[in-house]
Each structure stands twice: as structure tokens, then as C-alpha cells.
Amino acid sequence: MNYQRDDYRYIWQTPDAFLEDALRVNSGRLMHDPSWTGQPYEACLEGATKGNISLVPQAEALLDSIEADLELDSPQWENAISGAYPDVPAFLSGDPECMRARMIRANEKAPVRVFVCTTSSCGVSAETLLKRGIAALALVMLLIRQGRPVELWTFTKLDGDKDHKGNSAFLVRMPTTPVDIARIAHCLSACSFDRTIAMEFGRKMTGFTGSWAKQTDPRKLVNASPSDIVLGESRYGDEIVERPLDWIRQQLAKLAE
């Protein structure tokens, strides 16, 4: 198996490592109901493997709405190895960085850790979870765009031990260095990543019975630090779905404290 274990936390460093273990334990095809998971099994597996770049424009639209009234760093013209047009004096002097390109300087602040829970109440629709995931994706894209180092994790909030009293948290690190935005978009936004893959894996791996984890605080569940951003499980009236721009602003305000 590809995971590292910390008590009830099972930790995978890549989505591929998680998928390999899940598919092995579940012996290939995973049980699911497309009306609940939002997509057929084949689409679920393809998205988890290759990502879904079609979701990115929706996150970009949220960024366009929020960047207008936030004081954010903007790209500046600088010399680089490749770019839009040449810097003739630099070229004549033999400088390898003889092209001009619009760039954002790397942010020297500490990396931001973001944890997004993919587990949801059974009555929350796939459409609602899609909107929630796109808002989380927009925040991650905004941080990356501003040059802020981001460490992104998805996690489950499931019971375990076959008795409704345990915890089983599957933490999967998303690819942010380098960024695989299509894969991130799918894993944050498609509820099939949790409902088709993680839940079935939990049933066979840790004794998930269909209930929430005993540990109700998502921050404690993933052992988050005070500075980490943690988006807990999705329930009815999820704030991030109802007011996504307000939620993004709140997270940025916390980082600025």
C-alpha cells in the first residue's frame, strides 16, 4: 500500500497513489449510483486520473469577480529567458535574460496549507458540491496566481472500526508543485471522487459504516495548525455555496492577520 499512517489518518502524497490503493482494495470497479455521485463510473475514473480542465473557467469567473475589489499583486514587466518581446540592449550585451515578460514575483511568506473535506451529507446534490468545489478551486488558483506557495490536501470525514465510533480520514495531497489544475479541479469539485472512490474504499479498508467520523472538529481531524485553511464537510446551507465570494474574502483576510 502507498499510504503513511498517523493513528486514524491515512496519508497519500499523490492522487495516483491513492487511486492505486483504492482500486486494488475494491478489486477494480467501484459500487456507486450515478444519480448520487453525479457521473458514471467511467467519467469518475477518467476525471480522477486525468482531471477536468472544463471546470477551470468557472473558477476564473469567480476570480474576475473578486480581484476587482481586492488589493492584489499584479504582473510586472521583467527580464526573463523567454517572453513577449526582446530587450535589445540586454541581448547585445549577451544577457541570457534578454526577453521581457509579465511576471508576479514569488511570495516570500510562509506556504499556505489548505485542507478541503470531500465528504458530504447524503442529501447534498452533486450540483451543490460542484459549486462548492469551484469556490475552493478559485481560492487555490488565486493564491497560486499571487505567487504564494500552496500545499493542498483533500480529506474524508468518515467513521470507522465498524461501530460508528471511530474515525477514518483519508488525506490526499494534490499536485501544486508543479500545478496540475485540471486534476485539482476534478478532485475538489466532483463528488464522485468521494462518493464513488473514497467511501467504498473506506468500507473495505477501515470499516466505514455510512456515518460521520466521531471527531466532529475537522481541524482536529486533520491535525491542522491555526494558520491552515480548513474547509470542513458539506451540509445543508453550506456557506461556501451560498456566498462563495464572501467565503474567499474571509480566507484571504485570515491569511493577512
Side-chain angles (χ1 to χ4, degrees):
M1 302 292 276
N2 297 310
Y3 63 82
Q4 297 173 306
R5 187 171 179 180
D6 175 18
D7 194 9
Y8 55 78
R9 304 177 189 91
Y10 297 79
I11 303 167
W12 288 266
Q13 293 298 323
T14 68
D16 286 333
F18 173 71
L19 285 171
E20 181 180 336
D21 286 353
L23 293 175
R24 182 189 300 119
V25 168
N26 287 291
S27 301
R29 189 178 184 88
L30 308 178
M31 296 180 63
H32 72 292
D33 178 357
S35 65
W36 189 55
T37 64
Q39 58 185 175
Y41 170 80
E42 291 75 14
C44 162
L45 192 57
E46 181 177 3
T49 304
K50 300 178 181 179
N52 187 351
I53 199 67
S54 69
L55 299 173
V56 176
Q58 298 178 61
E60 290 279 6
L62 277 180
L63 291 182
D64 291 341
S65 299
I66 199 169
E67 284 186 323
D69 61 352
L70 287 178
E71 186 177 340
L72 300 171
D73 297 333
S74 58
Q76 303 294 324
W77 286 104
E78 297 184 6
N79 277 43
I81 295 176
S82 61
Y85 63 89
D87 178 344
V88 175
F91 172 76
L92 294 176
S93 68
D95 189 339
E97 295 187 346
C98 58
M99 300 296 290
R100 298 289 286 175
R102 295 189 70 192
M103 303 173 66
I104 294 178
R105 291 185 178 275
N107 197 310
E108 296 180 355
K109 294 182 179 180
V112 180
R113 289 205 307 172
V114 181
F115 295 88
V116 178
C117 184
T118 55
T119 307
S120 58
S121 294
C122 62
V124 178
S125 69
E127 180 182 2
T128 295
L129 294 171
L130 176 65
K131 294 177 181 178
R132 178 182 187 268
I134 287 171
L137 174 63
L139 173 63
V140 172
M141 290 173 60
L142 180 58
L143 294 172
I144 292 173
R145 180 179 293 184
Q146 294 306 308
R148 192 76 181 257
V150 177
E151 184 179 310
L152 174 64
W153 296 81
T154 62
F155 71 97
T156 64
K157 189 180 180 184
L158 310 176
D159 73 344
D161 302 329
K162 302 180 176 63
D163 62 1
H164 294 271
K165 296 181 180 180
N167 302 300
S168 55
F170 297 159
L171 286 83
V172 183
R173 187 169 184 171
M174 294 290 111
T176 56
T177 52
V179 178
D180 185 346
I181 202 66
R183 180 78 73 92
I184 293 171
H186 176 86
C187 294
L188 294 185
S189 306
C191 64
S192 61
F193 183 68
D194 190 281
R195 291 178 173 178
T196 299
I197 299 174
M199 286 188 175
E200 185 66 19
F201 188 26
R203 289 187 182 96
K204 296 179 179 177
M205 177 78 175
T206 61
F208 167 56
T209 64
S211 297
W212 296 104
K214 179 182 178 182
Q215 175 54 261
T216 59
D217 185 342
R219 302 190 70 88
K220 292 181 179 179
L221 190 73
V222 299
N223 197 27
S225 69
S227 61
D228 293 337
I229 295 175
V230 179
L231 177 58
E233 70 278 8
S234 181
R235 299 177 184 263
Y236 294 109
D238 200 332
E239 176 189 14
I240 190 174
V241 175
E242 301 295 331
R243 298 178 298 279
L245 295 181
D246 289 344
W247 179 81
I248 293 174
R249 292 188 182 96
Q250 289 170 10
Q251 307 314 309
L252 294 175
K254 293 176 182 177
L255 291 177
E257 293 177 352

